[in-house]
Amino acid sequence: MERESVSPKNEDENPYLPLLIDFTDKNVVIFGGGAVGERKAKRFAEKALVTVVSSSLTPDLRKMEENNSILFIRKDISKLTDGEIFDCLSDAFLAIAATSNGEINRKIISMAKTAGVLINDTERAGEVIIPSFVERGGLLIAVSSGGESPAVTKYARMKIESVIDDNFEKMIELQSEMREYLKTAISEQKRRQDILWEIMNDDEIWNLLASDFEKAKSKA
């Protein structure tokens, strides 16, 4: 049975849903070795297998290749045949069109969709938006305006960074340890949740986290 396509209820509604994806052993193919390609490669290199297709690389991308952080395929993208582009996309989970030529980017986007590969368009909001994010240990907060305003996205990230300090990382560690302890000490899940929330809302514990984790843990 065919399903009808789902679209936003009105044109102003944001069609995107946030997801966190494990990129371990997933291939990210970036078309373009310039400044934009470099920024994208740095974003993914620690989490995924990154391939950059380009006729040249920025100095930082060259260092990343030398350190085996990325795989470099030296190709003039403007001269690639459709078959060669499909070959580059053959094992890709995500492709990123990051050349300086809009026409070439659109071709890559079209072919990625045909190949069933997720695609990020660096020129406009497309199928996949790569958000700005704040990371504090195990805490990851993604920020996006749906491609409408990169300036607002950056401003929101800076505001969040001013509030979410390193103590949040320590609180995650404390909460994790307390959860494991409470599983052995208290059978009622609701009571365990209440206790963890009491710890979260204890100003003294937050203050102790800044200076002495063990004292904070003892207080908890």
Side-chain angles (χ1 to χ4, degrees), residues 2-185:
E2 292 187 5
R3 297 184 61 185
E4 293 184 1
S5 62
V6 178
S7 58
K9 295 178 182 179
N10 60 70
E11 293 183 357
D12 295 328
E13 186 175 341
N14 190 327
Y16 297 97
L17 283 173
L19 294 173
L20 294 177
I21 298 173
D22 182 354
F23 270 86
T24 304
D25 293 331
K26 287 184 171 60
N27 292 296
V28 176
V29 179
I30 301 171
F31 291 87
V36 177
E38 176 189 309
R39 188 168 69 249
K40 300 297 183 180
K42 288 179 177 178
R43 171 68 63 88
F44 285 98
E46 292 184 2
K47 309 291 185 181
L49 304 173
V50 175
T51 298
V52 177
V53 183
S54 180
S55 59
S56 61
L57 297 176
T58 65
D60 279 4
L61 281 174
R62 177 64 65 188
K63 290 178 183 177
M64 293 177 71
E65 184 205 7
E66 293 171 353
N67 294 330
N68 295 317
S69 297
I70 63 170
L71 174 66
F72 175 40
I73 297 179
R74 187 187 297 275
K75 295 283 186 181
D76 184 341
I77 300 174
S78 66
K79 296 180 180 178
L80 291 179
T81 66
D82 290 358
E84 289 172 325
I85 293 177
F86 273 121
D87 286 343
C88 293
L89 293 168
S90 61
D91 295 322
F93 175 79
L94 171 68
I96 299 175
T99 78
S100 58
N101 186 308
E103 183 177 349
I104 292 175
N105 284 342
R106 288 189 291 274
K107 180 179 181 180
I108 292 168
I109 291 164
S110 175
M111 296 185 70
K113 290 181 177 180
T114 300
V117 175
L118 293 173
I119 181 71
N120 169 241
D121 182 355
T122 57
E123 295 182 323
R124 59 183 62 82
E127 184 178 48
V128 174
I129 291 177
I130 300 172
S132 181
F133 64 83
V134 176
E135 190 169 14
R136 294 289 185 269
L139 180 64
L140 181 64
I141 303 172
V143 185
S144 173
S145 63
E148 294 296 320
S149 176
V152 170
T153 299
K154 181 178 180 179
Y155 182 77
R157 175 180 58 77
M158 293 171 64
K159 283 290 188 180
I160 293 170
E161 285 178 330
S162 69
V163 175
I164 306 299
D165 58 22
D166 291 339
N167 283 345
F168 278 78
E169 180 178 354
K170 297 174 184 176
M171 178 58 81
I172 291 174
E173 182 181 351
L174 178 60
Q175 287 275 322
S176 178
E177 291 191 22
M178 291 305 301
R179 283 183 67 219
E180 293 304 313
Y181 166 72
L182 290 171
K183 286 178 183 178
T184 65

